[in-house]
Amino acid sequence: MTSPPVTIEETPRAQGRERRGWYWYDWANSAFYTTIISVFLGPYLIPIAKTAACEQDFASTPIDVCTRDFDKLTTSQLGYVDVLGFDIRPAAYFGLILTVSTLLQIVLLPVAGALADHTGRKRELLGAFAYVGALATVGLFFLEGDRYLLGGGLFILANVAYGASVVVYDSFLPQISAPSERDKVSSRGWAFGYLGGFLLLALNLVLYLGHETFGVTEGMAVRICMMSAGLWWAIFTIIPLLRLRNRPVPAHESTALRSVGGSFRQLGRTIAELRRYPGTLLFLVAYLIYNDGVQTVIGNSAAYASEALKLDTSVQITAILMVQFVAFGGALLLGRLARRYGTKRTVLASLVVWIVIVVVAVFLSEGAQVQFYALGFAIAIVLGGTQALSRSLYSHVIPRGKEAEFFSLLQISDKGSAFIGSLTITLAVQFTNSYRIAIVSLVVFFVVGFVMLLSVNLPKAIRAAGNEVPEHL
């Protein structure tokens, strides 16, 4: 492997070009999260799992009758699908594969982040992870009938690749922006991503709602929509790959295999060094906990709408579409509030809103579309700002000269932390068969995260890291 360039131009013009290219990857990958995770896959995959359960346990019952009345049929001891020898309720299957994928992220994302730092080949790794995920997403077009295992496997591969690509993508932030710019750059990236997700979802909404006009079945329309997310992801990834630049790293002699080993060793040293920065460690743990709640709420919103509220897919799509559009302004709004009232106070206020959202969600009436839209509007206001401002806030408590190493830990927390939350949802549904109980259990993540973030002495943590305390904190 050849070494990265020894020098690189860091003029404002060059960094501005990179930042504009960097925004485009948020635009590209948001299609996967919005179209696949938030809208289509859960409500589409659960009926496929129910079909498989009907074929296995209710062979004497017509498939259409079985799937229509499945909730009544599962009052018996039957009505499960086999997943590697375990009996899983179809309603819990999506939560299961989300749990498995996030568990794999926890294991593999440290390798992705540390390997990017170790080799200096961030741009190449970004492209590799992005296209593995995009191709797996395109493969969801073949999800039909009783192929629930195919759908689960493709989603796990795509979600792990998605998380790995974002680890590499976010690690560019300290390199393309000064500390005083990071609130703005981070918020703009998130906002631009919401626009991308909004546009593709709007196009998919036209196809889904008008599928008869286009001469396709509802199932085919969903499969095309899922495939479109992979194509969108692949096409727009080209822009950041053309504009982002690798930075030089110290010369080393290693094969790719040894680089992975070196990445693990470096990660171990970085984690061990966290003990010298207790404020940074406390912030990281607080973020892991409350972001776990955010990721789990978003990842299960479509399944909750269909299973607990009995809302059809068209309502879910229009709600998510509204969220994407409003979240664009919400991310920018919270960025402005942070400059006026302080970043930490703004994040804490957003966590209070999340607590209210989770509690209110339990009391939504079945079939209550207006209530669901209102809750989605509240989510949209705080969704992007909570994560974008946390990302920029964390950048202040990273020791100088080790930005990439410490920043990778935040991304591991961001994309791999939802294991506990998704496991909580899965277990709650498995044992209670109630998405309402599952959702309300997430309030603990926001409460604990709020208390821990409140206890972080940020000025002290910033000074301990050797950085200057900014005016608006």
Side-chain angles (χ1 to χ4, degrees), residues 265-277 281 406 409:
R265 289 191 296 273
Q266 183 58 52
L267 177 68
R269 289 192 291 268
T270 303
I271 293 176
E273 193 173 1
L274 270 174
R275 291 177 296 182
R276 296 175 51 194
Y277 306 100
L281 177 60
F406 277 76
L409 296 178

Side-chain angles (χ1 to χ4, degrees), residues 26-199:
D26 226 326
W27 172 285
N29 70 52
S30 64
F32 172 76
Y33 203 89
T34 302
T35 295
I36 302 300
I37 297 181
S38 299
V39 178
F40 284 109
L41 186 61
Y44 184 71
L45 186 58
I46 290 174
I48 287 178
K50 289 180 179 179
T51 298
C54 286
E55 293 179 349
Q56 173 181 311
D57 293 333
F58 304 105
S60 60
T61 304
I63 291 296
D64 58 339
V65 175
C66 178
T67 54
R68 184 190 64 202
D69 300 327
F70 194 84
D71 291 338
K72 298 177 182 178
L73 293 171
T74 54
T75 55
S76 70
Q77 295 301 311
L78 301 176
Y80 296 88
V81 291
D82 178 73
V83 181
L84 301 179
F86 295 94
D87 289 332
I88 303 297
R89 289 184 184 272
Y93 181 62
F94 179 67
L96 174 65
I97 61 173
L98 191 62
T99 300
V100 171
S101 65
T102 51
L103 177 59
L104 288 174
Q105 286 179 335
I106 291 172
V107 175
L108 297 177
L109 295 197
V111 180
L115 183 59
D117 286 337
H118 193 73
T119 63
R121 291 294 180 180
K122 290 185 178 181
R123 185 175 60 183
E124 291 81 353
L125 287 170
L126 174 64
F129 292 135
Y131 283 106
V132 167
L135 289 175
T137 304
V138 170
L140 291 174
F141 176 79
F142 302 100
L143 178 58
E144 59 180 337
D146 60 353
R147 299 175 180 173
Y148 67 99
L149 290 176
L150 173 65
L154 287 172
F155 171 74
I156 289 172
L157 177 60
N159 201 29
V160 171
Y162 165 78
S165 71
V166 175
V167 165
V168 180
Y169 161 71
D170 282 348
S171 71
F172 279 99
L173 179 60
Q175 299 175 335
I176 63 175
S177 60
S180 61
E181 300 175 310
R182 287 179 197 164
D183 277 356
K184 179 179 68 176
V185 173
S186 184
S187 297
R188 284 184 177 179
W190 239 288
F192 197 55
Y194 286 129
L195 281 183
F198 168 80
L199 180 57

Side-chain angles (χ1 to χ4, degrees), residues 152-394:
L154 287 172
F155 171 74
I156 289 172
L157 177 60
N159 201 29
V160 171
Y162 165 78
S165 71
V166 175
V167 165
V168 180
Y169 161 71
D170 282 348
S171 71
F172 279 99
L173 179 60
Q175 299 175 335
I176 63 175
S177 60
S180 61
E181 300 175 310
R182 287 179 197 164
D183 277 356
K184 179 179 68 176
V185 173
S186 184
S187 297
R188 284 184 177 179
W190 239 288
F192 197 55
Y194 286 129
L195 281 183
F198 168 80
L199 180 57
L200 180 63
L201 193 58
L203 295 174
N204 284 335
L205 179 62
V206 172
L207 173 61
Y208 178 78
L209 295 180
H211 62 86
E212 294 181 352
T213 303
F214 292 100
V216 297
T217 64
E218 180 178 316
M220 175 61 76
V222 172
R223 290 161 56 201
I224 292 173
C225 290
M226 291 193 294
M227 180 178 66
S228 73
L231 294 175
W232 182 281
W233 189 358
I235 292 170
F236 287 107
T237 295
I238 295 173
I239 300 174
L241 292 182
L242 291 175
R243 293 196 171 187
L244 291 173
R245 301 170 296 168
N246 292 327
R247 264 66 178 180
V249 296
H252 60 277
E253 298 179 7
S254 64
T255 62
L257 182 60
R258 287 175 129 182
S259 294
V260 172
S263 298
F264 272 121
R265 289 191 296 273
Q266 183 58 52
L267 177 68
R269 289 192 291 268
T270 303
I271 293 176
E273 193 173 1
L274 270 174
R275 291 177 296 182
R276 296 175 51 194
Y277 306 100
T280 303
L281 177 60
L282 183 58
F283 178 89
L284 189 62
V285 174
Y287 176 78
L288 186 152
I289 292 172
Y290 67 73
N291 184 64
D292 198 340
V294 173
Q295 298 287 346
T296 307
V297 169
I298 300 304
N300 289 272
S301 59
Y304 178 77
S306 63
E307 295 299 309
L309 305 183
K310 308 302 179 184
L311 298 174
D312 59 39
T313 306
S314 62
V315 175
Q316 299 166 36
I317 295 175
T318 52
I320 295 297
L321 189 64
M322 180 268 293
V323 167
Q324 290 295 117
F325 182 76
V326 176
F328 167 74
L332 298 178
L333 172 63
L334 262 65
R336 290 187 177 183
L337 291 176
R339 290 192 291 273
R340 181 171 182 178
Y341 299 106
T343 310
K344 180 180 177 180
R345 290 178 181 175
T346 304
V347 174
L348 287 171
S350 74
L351 295 181
V352 173
V353 176
W354 278 109
I355 292 171
V356 174
I357 287 170
V358 171
V359 173
V360 170
V362 181
F363 299 101
L364 297 189
S365 303
E366 187 172 306
Q369 297 183 21
V370 175
Q371 295 176 11
F372 186 65
Y373 285 130
L375 200 66
F377 185 88
I379 289 175
I381 295 298
V382 295
L383 178 58
T386 302
Q387 296 171 306
L389 293 178
S390 296
R391 179 169 63 178
S392 60
L393 192 61
Y394 179 72

Side-chain angles (χ1 to χ4, degrees), residues 451-466:
V451 172
M452 294 189 70
L453 179 59
L454 184 64
S455 65
V456 177
N457 187 330
L458 280 175
K460 182 178 179 180
I462 293 171
R463 286 191 290 267

